[in-house]
């Protein structure tokens, strides 16, 4: 006999110094920060404390986006459409909600839409919309 159930695992996540600066920039300045590696020059977005390319510690933050290019997308029934977005100025991509359009294609230019009320969370970006979409 098989029994299925759900386990709740509540947790708190400490964003750390670099992550906190990233979230504060979203909240206060409506800007997206990437982390530039002093060793290999890779710009990782969203900003992280370690380089995604060479694993070295990163302290320099640079503004990236808010525009970018959609690399791939998926429709998650019941939760929405999510895309892999290569932000302008970044060497990596981030996953976030896509809004406004129903005709997503790889290569579509997108723009971040910031929430009216921001709280220092990744959801301070409501989503990304096609640059040609007025919604």
């Amino acid at each position: 006999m098989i029994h299925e159930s759900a386990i709740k695992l509540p947790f708190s996540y400490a964003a750390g110094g670099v992550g906190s600066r990233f979230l504060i920039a979203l909240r206060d300045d409506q800007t997206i920060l990437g982390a530039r590696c002093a060793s290999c020059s890779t710009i990782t977005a969203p900003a992280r404390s370690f380089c995604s390319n060479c694993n070295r510690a990163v302290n320099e933050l640079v503004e990236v986006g808010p525009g970018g290019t959609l690399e791939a997308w998926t429709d998650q029934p019941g939760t929405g459409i999510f895309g892999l977005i290569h932000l302008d100025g970044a060497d990596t991509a981030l996953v976030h909600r896509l809004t406004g359009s129903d005709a997503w294609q790889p290569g579509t230019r997108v723009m971040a839409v910031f929430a009216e009320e921001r709280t220092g969370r990744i959801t301070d970006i409501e989503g990304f919309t096609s640059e040609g979409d007025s919604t």
Side-chain angles (χ1 to χ4, degrees):
M1 174 180 220
I2 296 175
H3 175 73
E4 292 185 23
S5 63
I7 298 173
K8 291 186 179 184
L9 298 172
F11 67 96
S12 295
Y13 171 76
V18 171
S20 292
R21 290 167 55 196
F22 169 79
L23 295 171
I24 289 167
L26 288 179
R27 182 190 67 199
D28 296 348
D29 304 323
Q30 296 183 53
T31 59
I32 304 169
L33 296 179
R36 178 183 287 133
C37 178
S39 179
C40 71
S41 299
T42 297
I43 298 175
T44 303
R48 297 179 207 139
S49 59
F50 288 89
C51 176
S52 64
N53 186 48
C54 69
N55 266 350
R56 298 209 174 162
V58 177
N59 290 315
E60 181 186 2
L61 300 184
V62 295
E63 189 173 334
V64 297
T69 304
L70 181 64
E71 292 186 351
W73 62 273
T74 186
D75 187 355
Q76 296 294 310
T79 59
I81 301 172
F82 291 85
L84 184 63
I85 300 151
H86 188 141
L87 291 169
D88 296 339
D91 295 311
T92 61
L94 78 121
V95 175
H96 211 295
R97 181 179 305 277
L98 300 175
T99 62
S101 178
D102 60 0
W104 297 107
Q105 295 295 322
T108 300
R109 290 290 303 165
V110 294
M111 180 65 68
V113 176
F114 289 89
E116 191 172 310
E117 293 184 31
R118 295 173 304 282
T119 60
R121 297 172 184 248
I122 191 65
T123 53
D124 288 351
I125 302 172
E126 283 186 354
F128 285 82
T129 188
S130 167
E131 284 188 350
D133 196 341
S134 60
T135 56

